[in-house]
Every structure is written in structure tokens, then in C-alpha cells.
Amino acid sequence: MANVNIKFNGKDFLLSCDDGQEEHLEELLTHINQKFNNLKNDLGNIGENKLLLITSVQIMDEYFETKKNVEQKKTELKNLSDKFKELKSLVYEYKDKKEIELNKLSQNHEDFKKEIKKNKEDYEKMIDEATSEIENFVDKVNLEKSVQ
């Protein structure tokens, strides 16, 4: 335990605190003393007990406002975090859908290439058959001409 000498309202006090907390305690008590003196200047010397009470109420008011703001910020942060998670989920969902679409397009492209190749082969086969039939026809016509 460490001891800290402080001056409050012109009086010296010796306070104990945990080791390492001396500087924090001095800073805190300086702040309280400043509030007390400001009230004393604003309200006059209405009595030390009333000034201490009003100082305590002001400090607690600041504390509760700060606590309320912190809770509000926590709620806002949680809401923001939830929205971010939702957005992240939507991004992944969108990515998955686009990958599926891309795979379908790729498959359709491959199917189309196969169909073009098959049509080309069928076309060449039809041309070969037509050429063969024309040659047979020409041969028959030549054969008939030579028979006549």
C-alpha cells in the first residue's frame, strides 16, 4: 500500500492506495478539488458539506453521462459489427453465385464448341456425300451418253 499526501479545500489529507496508483489518485483528487473550488467561487461559501455534496453530484452526473455514452457507443458498435457481418455474408454469397454462373458459362462455352465441331464434321460429311452423289450422277450421265 502506498500513501499519498493531498491538499483538499486548503486541508492536508493522507490517503492510501494500491502501489502504482499514486499518480492516478493525485490526478483524480486534483480534478475533484478543482470542481469543489469552482463551485465555492460560483456559489459562495454555503458550507463545506453542501459544496461536497454538490461536487459529488456533479461528478456522478458526469460519470453517468459518460457511462451512458459508452453504452450507446457499444450498442452502435455492435450494430455496425452486425451490419458488417451481414455485408460480409452477402459478399460471400454473391461471390459463390458468380462462381456458379461462371462455371455454367464455361460449361456452356465448352458445349457450344463441341456442338460447332460436331456441326462442322456433319457439314463436311454432307458435302462429301453430296460430292459423291454428284460424281455418281455425272458418271451415270456420261455412261448414258456413251451408250447412246
Side-chain angles (χ1 to χ4, degrees):
M1 275 289 184
N3 292 323
V4 177
N5 283 318
I6 59 117
K7 191 171 209 125
F8 184 81
N9 194 26
K11 298 174 189 169
D12 289 325
F13 293 92
L14 180 65
L15 299 176
S16 295
C17 64
D18 291 335
D19 291 333
Q21 295 296 317
E22 299 89 353
E23 189 176 314
H24 178 69
L25 182 60
E26 287 174 357
E27 184 180 343
L28 181 63
L29 289 169
T30 300
H31 179 71
I32 293 171
N33 192 45
Q34 182 181 3
K35 283 203 165 290
F36 181 84
N37 288 330
N38 288 343
L39 278 172
K40 190 175 185 181
N41 291 335
D42 292 345
L43 302 175
N45 198 359
I46 61 172
E48 187 177 54
N49 288 339
K50 284 185 180 180
L51 286 172
L52 284 172
L53 177 62
I54 295 170
T55 303
S56 299
V57 169
Q58 280 186 341
I59 291 171
M60 287 306 295
D61 182 51
E62 289 175 5
Y63 167 77
F64 280 119
E65 284 299 314
T66 302
K67 183 178 177 185
K68 187 168 52 171
N69 287 338
V70 167
E71 291 300 320
Q72 181 182 0
K73 295 300 178 192
K74 280 183 181 178
T75 303
E76 289 174 7
L77 184 61
K78 184 185 179 315
N79 290 340
L80 191 59
S81 177
D82 290 345
K83 287 180 182 180
F84 178 75
K85 287 177 185 175
E86 181 181 343
L87 183 61
K88 184 179 173 184
S89 172
L90 288 172
V91 166
Y92 283 126
E93 185 179 315
Y94 179 80
K95 178 183 170 266
D96 292 344
K97 284 180 180 179
K98 289 302 169 188
E99 284 180 356
I100 290 170
E101 285 181 25
L102 184 61
N103 288 338
K104 282 181 182 178
L105 285 173
S106 180
Q107 183 61 45
N108 288 345
H109 179 71
E110 288 300 316
D111 291 346
F112 189 61
K113 282 171 54 176
K114 287 178 185 176
E115 188 175 331
I116 288 174
K117 183 178 178 184
K118 183 183 177 297
N119 287 342
K120 181 181 175 188
E121 290 170 357
D122 289 347
Y123 176 74
E124 288 174 355
K125 183 178 173 185
M126 284 177 21
I127 294 292
D128 289 344
E129 287 175 0
T131 302
S132 178
E133 286 183 26
I134 290 172
E135 286 176 357
N136 288 340
F137 178 75
V138 169
D139 287 344
K140 278 185 184 180
V141 169
N142 286 339
L143 186 65
E144 286 180 12
K145 278 187 179 180
S146 59
V147 173
Q148 290 177 358

